[in-house]
Amino acid sequence: ALSAMSQTTNIVIKRSLSLACLWLASDVIADSYDRKDFNYYSYKPNTAIGFYTGKTCDFINIDHVVSLKDAYESGAANWSASKKETFANDRRNHVPSCGRVNSSKGSAAPKDFLRRSRDGKGLDYQIVRWCEYVTKYHSVKLAYQLTTSNNDQKLLASCSKSQSNPG
């Protein structure tokens, strides 16, 4: 018979191995994201005003509020090609964005996008429609049954209570 200490050690080792396997599996899934799988058809925005900043842009393009990578990592990895294409081209998830702001946002979720907007790394901008963005982000996630478990829940809830901009 194993001592109580040995049994505890075995349990800890098994749990650690299980967590390590989950971590490795999630890393493999995240690494297999390919934007081309979503078959997005780009189009020209009908405005020169960026949604996030409210300013006229030198270069404007369409931004996915919930990025394709964010969607992939929160449930879209298991979707059919047709559903991925529908999501990518759903205009409810599109906003016109100044090219540099869109590049800065990348595939970031709201918390990281806010941090990037004022991190002092050369491209500081004020997000003037913060709660509208967060509300749109959250509604797209819900509409497509994408998980929000990796999102800052307080941040998502903050805009449902108040339409103010952070700090």
Side-chain angles (χ1 to χ4, degrees):
L2 292 172
S3 70
M5 179 108 153
S6 294
Q7 289 175 339
T8 301
T9 302
N10 283 342
I11 290 170
V12 169
I13 290 172
K14 286 179 183 176
R15 285 185 183 159
S16 296
L17 287 171
S18 294
L19 288 173
C21 288
L22 284 173
W23 179 77
L24 286 171
S26 68
D27 196 37
V28 167
I29 290 170
D31 284 346
S32 60
Y33 163 76
D34 187 343
R35 179 181 173 87
K36 290 182 276 186
D37 292 342
F38 283 82
N39 205 18
Y40 169 61
Y41 301 107
S42 185
Y43 60 94
K44 185 172 175 45
N46 60 0
T47 181
I49 307 295
F51 172 84
Y52 301 114
T53 61
K55 296 189 184 243
T56 301
C57 308
D58 292 334
F59 174 74
I60 193 157
N61 55 23
I62 296 298
D63 178 52
H64 289 91
V65 175
V66 175
S67 74
L68 303 180
K69 185 174 183 182
D70 182 349
Y72 182 90
E73 292 173 348
S74 58
N78 300 318
W79 290 351
S80 67
S82 173
K83 187 167 182 179
K84 286 178 184 173
E85 183 174 345
T86 297
F87 175 81
N89 295 289
D90 184 343
R91 293 192 179 204
R92 294 174 299 171
N93 187 34
H94 298 170
V95 294
S97 177
C98 296
R100 293 183 60 201
V101 174
N102 192 10
S103 294
S104 172
K105 176 181 172 272
S107 61
K111 182 179 180 181
D112 289 329
F113 181 33
L114 179 61
R115 178 189 50 77
R116 289 177 186 178
S117 74
R118 51 184 173 183
D119 66 5
K121 294 187 177 175
L123 182 61
D124 289 352
Y125 47 90
Q126 182 180 4
I127 304 169
V128 297
R129 295 171 81 178
W130 176 255
C131 281
E132 191 175 347
Y133 156 64
V134 170
T135 301
K136 186 179 277 272
Y137 176 94
H138 196 222
S139 69
V140 169
K141 283 266 191 155
L142 293 175
Y144 282 90
Q145 299 177 327
L146 296 168
T147 182
T148 60
S149 62
N150 290 337
N151 297 115
D152 182 328
Q153 298 303 312
K154 288 180 186 174
L155 189 63
L156 293 178
S158 70
C159 285
S160 64
K161 295 177 186 168
S162 126
Q163 287 295 311
S164 64
N165 287 311

